[in-house]
Amino acid sequence: MSGGVPIVETERLRMRPHGLADLDASLAMWADAEVARHISNKSSTREECWSRILRYAGHWSLMGFGYWLVEEKTTGRFVGEAGFGDFKREMVPDFGGAPEHGWALAPWAHGKGYATEAGQAALAWAKTKFGARDVVCMISPENAPSLRVAERLGYVEYGRTVFKGGENILFRRPL
């Protein structure tokens, strides 16, 4: 653990808490239009990325879960971010308090199986944290790579919604 955030390792990845020095790498990912296209539909500014990192730290501090920074174990290179949140999304249907699983990867890391690997590790950790509770995720129907990851992780569609002007598919899976 580091500052109350567990460090999770897989064969190729280390999932650790964000630090002050991680802002530029995170910003490079979130400022990329292709990464942001299916999530927020706009690139993030430095200020917005900083707020996101603070929100992650707040989740760990207040909720006991949150998002990890994902890096390659052998190189330390920033891969992306993955974890769980409770963002109090104002949408119908809502998530009913279920932890929301999410992932975003730097463009260079796409297509390498890193999202699935990080997702599996996060789910294994979540089982110890949340027990038999369901977890959910929300994905744009146009985000084919994330839809494939969700399928590999065992998520099943249970609904659709419009959130902040964009259509989204809602998925659920037991732990």
Side-chain angles (χ1 to χ4, degrees), residues 70-144:
V70 181
E71 63 187 9
E72 285 185 319
K73 273 171 60 170
T74 57
T75 66
R77 187 175 184 188
F78 177 91
V79 170
E81 298 168 345
F84 299 92
D86 182 356
F87 301 112
K88 309 292 185 206
R89 298 193 190 277
E90 295 179 357
M91 61 184 204
V92 176
D94 66 17
F95 290 140
E100 179 183 349
H101 192 185
W103 51 87
L105 272 58
W108 73 266
H110 293 181
K112 299 180 183 318
Y114 285 157
T116 301
E117 189 172 330
Q120 289 168 335
L123 288 167
W125 174 86
K127 188 170 182 87
T128 67
K129 172 69 178 175
F130 303 127
R133 191 171 180 187
D134 284 358
V135 291
V136 295
C137 67
M138 177 171 72
I139 303 171
S140 164
E142 297 173 0
N143 190 346

